[in-house]
Amino acid sequence: MPVHSTPVISTPSNSKSVTSTPANRTGRARRRVALGLSLAALAAATTTGAGPATAEPGTATARTAAAPAADCGAAHRIEQKLAAGTVWRMCWRYERNAGLVLEHVSYQPPGESRPIKVLATAKLAQIHVPYDDGVNEYSDLTQAGFGQGLMDLAPAECPGGTIRTVKVPDPYDPEHQRGRGLCVTTRSRGHAYRMQSDDLSRVYQAQGKDLLVYTVNKVGWYEYITEWRFQDDGAMHMNVGATGSLSPFDYDAGDGRGWPLGKGAKGYATSHSHNVFWRLDFDLDGSSKGRIEQYDSVASPPGRGQQGPTERTTRTKVTKELAGDAKNGRWWRIVSATGKNKDGHARSYEFVPAATTTYAGRPFTRHHVYFTEYAQCEQYASDNLLDCGARHGTSVDRWVNGQNLTHPVVWVNVGFHHVARDEDQQPMPVHWQGFSLSPRDVTAMNPLTPPALRGQNGRPSEGS
């Protein structure tokens, strides 16, 4: 459990919960998945192996295959210089269950002479889908062929970018072992900043640009867009969007748990949850020994002689494994063990959750974030396929058992309770759920600061 609580500078309260977004499907729809798995089994003799499609870490095949190096080959390297001068670099590979995996992610903003290493590995760790009536419950990554369901992308689905070819392990269609399914593109996001000078003589503003990397994977009637977004100011966004179709068989929820669709009130789609997990293994400044810190801000009523309430922010060093719960005024960051910015402050990344619906039905979905000590066999937040030993447990909640954190792995859980609506047909609009990582002291100033303001590090000068 966390120890060593110390006060830090008081700051305005931030509402920090973790978040979610929708999705849908049905048990009968899984017949399509079963058929695909059967076809894949028939094609086992021609199963793909390493390269962009790899075995799961910790399996016999994975132990004998070399992991991609930081200077991975051109086919598996992503390097993008954005308009502001920021460069993102990373490698990618593709796993049978998790799908797209990003590795060796680095960020080089303008003014930095070399890339800043950020992530060793980032990937989905589970999409858990329990239905409200208790009849069906799915683990889309480990039981439903998520990685095998990679979809080809048309050029219009990757505007302004390139579509990479992916070698798909055990594809549903044995004739479709390579898919044009990985989009790498850029996209404008609007204002990166805007500031009018004190003397009203000019306005400083810039429009931000992002690097986007994404795939589409089909599971049953659902299609999942797995999106990784990298901003020119160093922020990162991990999102999963659910789209596709409501199952045509899923209009029979006569137990009162569904929502009427279509004419009158004869068809009821069964409500269900989507609990999405991500697994992040950090490599800040090239070291796996980052430290976790938790911050809590609490407001108190005004004291005698004070005009307003006071707020106190306390830092707690998380030294042991933790199952963390988001609440108002709470946030976490991972701090570099070795690197500092030009002001001498330790580099870190702050976890910025969005809205979430916590699913209380299973122990592993009851917490918003987990910090565990690295173990190669721990790859999936639930239904972990790798053999960690008989007493180890197969879900992330079982791995929080008091170990000291020397190489922390971060698991983020974002849930959504999907109560279908008329607008979900047909096709279903994309429902997004995810979270962000915001740079905190990675650079000494805003990395996009215009030249005229670069001397204003600290107290702004008069007349700016």
Side-chain angles (χ1 to χ4, degrees):
M1 58 189 301
V3 293
H4 311 311
S5 294
T6 55
V8 297
I9 188 168
S10 295
T11 56
S13 172
N14 288 325
S15 180
K16 302 277 182 184
S17 351
V18 197
T19 301
S20 83
T21 308
N24 198 314
R25 115 183 116 277
T26 185
R28 274 158 288 200
R30 297 311 178 100
R31 294 171 182 166
R32 299 179 62 173
V33 175
L35 175 60
L37 294 174
S38 298
L39 292 173
L42 292 174
T46 58
T47 296
T48 58
T54 65
E56 302 298 342
T59 64
T61 304
R63 280 193 292 266
T64 59
D71 58 347
C72 51
H76 312 310
R77 183 189 304 122
I78 297 172
E79 181 171 332
Q80 180 67 54
K81 186 174 184 178
L82 298 169
T86 298
V87 181
W88 283 97
R89 297 177 178 90
M90 64 199 72
C91 298
W92 68 272
R93 59 186 173 86
Y94 197 85
E95 289 183 357
R96 181 183 186 277
N97 295 294
L100 180 64
V101 181
L102 300 182
E103 297 183 312
H104 312 299
V105 178
S106 70
Y107 156 59
Q108 187 173 3
E112 293 291 335
S113 60
R114 63 184 61 186
I116 299 167
K117 295 182 178 180
V118 180
L119 286 163
T121 307
K123 69 175 187 177
L124 284 179
Q126 191 57 275
I127 301 177
H128 170 247
V129 187
Y131 278 71
D132 285 16
D133 58 9
V135 174
N136 295 306
E137 182 176 9
Y138 302 105
S139 298
D140 279 355
L141 265 62
T142 54
Q143 296 177 3
F146 177 89
Q148 297 164 280
L150 180 72
M151 296 286 100
D152 284 335
L153 297 175
E157 297 183 84
C158 188
T162 59
I163 300 175
R164 304 286 187 92
T165 298
V166 179
K167 194 176 182 182
V168 182
D170 297 339
Y172 293 152
D173 180 2
E175 303 298 321
H176 189 72
Q177 298 212 4
R178 290 184 180 274
R180 297 274 295 165
L182 172 61
C183 175
V184 180
T185 190
T186 59
R187 190 172 298 169
S188 297
R189 70 172 184 278
H191 275 89
Y193 62 79
R194 188 188 189 281
M195 186 187 81
Q196 187 172 46
S197 61
D198 290 344
D199 61 8
L200 308 182
S201 63
R202 65 179 298 183
V203 171
Y204 300 97
Q205 72 86 27
Q207 298 297 299
K209 199 85 168 182
D210 301 344
L211 164 66
L212 271 71
V213 181
Y214 54 89
T215 60
V216 178
N217 294 74
K218 188 173 181 62
V219 180
W221 299 100
Y222 265 90
E223 299 187 21
Y224 291 111
I225 304 171
T226 304
E227 178 190 272
W228 305 85
R229 182 184 292 257
F230 303 90
Q231 291 188 184
D232 48 15
D233 61 2
M236 295 175 280
H237 306 273
M238 292 68 174
N239 297 300
V240 167
T243 182
S245 175
L246 293 173
S247 167
F249 302 107
D250 195 18
Y251 292 84
D252 58 354
D255 55 8
R257 293 184 174 89
W259 193 268
L261 299 179
K263 299 291 184 181
K266 296 180 180 179
Y268 286 77
T270 305
S271 302
H272 54 277
S273 295
H274 280 255
N275 304 307
V276 181
F277 287 83
W278 289 261
R279 180 185 184 273
L280 305 175
D281 183 6
F282 282 84
D283 187 30
L284 276 174
D285 294 298
S287 173
S288 63
K289 298 185 182 298
R291 67 180 185 272
I292 303 296
E293 295 178 348
Q294 176 178 306
Y295 290 79
D296 289 277
S297 299
V298 178
S300 300
R304 180 175 297 177
Q306 292 179 324
Q307 291 185 347
T310 59
E311 187 150 351
R312 183 180 180 85
T313 298
T314 302
R315 179 184 65 184
T316 301
K317 295 181 179 179
V318 181
T319 60
K320 296 183 182 295
E321 294 177 317
L322 172 71
D325 296 310
K327 67 176 186 178
N328 186 48
R330 172 173 292 172
W331 52 278
W332 297 272
R333 70 169 181 158
I334 183 165
V335 186
S336 173
T338 59
K340 295 183 178 181
N341 67 20
K342 292 175 182 178
D343 282 347
H345 302 148
R347 291 191 176 111
S348 72
Y349 265 88
E350 176 183 342
F351 296 89
V352 184
T356 190
T357 302
T358 304
Y359 180 74
R362 293 293 183 188
F364 61 86
T365 59
R366 294 173 188 167
H367 301 284
H368 304 116
V369 64
Y370 297 84
F371 302 105
T372 64
E373 179 65 7
Y374 175 85
Q376 185 183 22
C377 68
E378 295 173 355
Q379 294 291 324
Y380 297 95
S382 68
D383 188 38
N384 189 51
L385 297 174
L386 283 68
D387 184 6
C388 295
R391 297 177 179 269
H392 196 81
T394 60
S395 57
V396 66
D397 59 299
R398 299 285 302 278
W399 304 334
V400 178
N401 54 17
Q403 290 187 76
N404 290 328
L405 286 176
T406 60
H407 178 172
V409 173
V410 183
W411 309 77
V412 180
N413 169 30
V414 180
F416 175 79
H417 186 223
H418 189 188
V419 180
R421 54 184 180 150
D422 278 339
E423 288 87 350
D424 282 338
Q425 52 185 9
Q426 172 88 312
M428 182 168 57
V430 181
H431 305 289
W432 292 101
Q433 57 199 94
F435 68 101
S436 302
L437 293 169
S438 179
R440 177 171 284 276
D441 304 340
V442 173
T443 52
M445 296 182 70
N446 181 345
L448 307 182
T449 296
L453 301 178
R454 287 175 185 168
Q456 297 187 16
N457 183 13
R459 185 184 299 275
S461 62
E462 294 296 329
S464 63

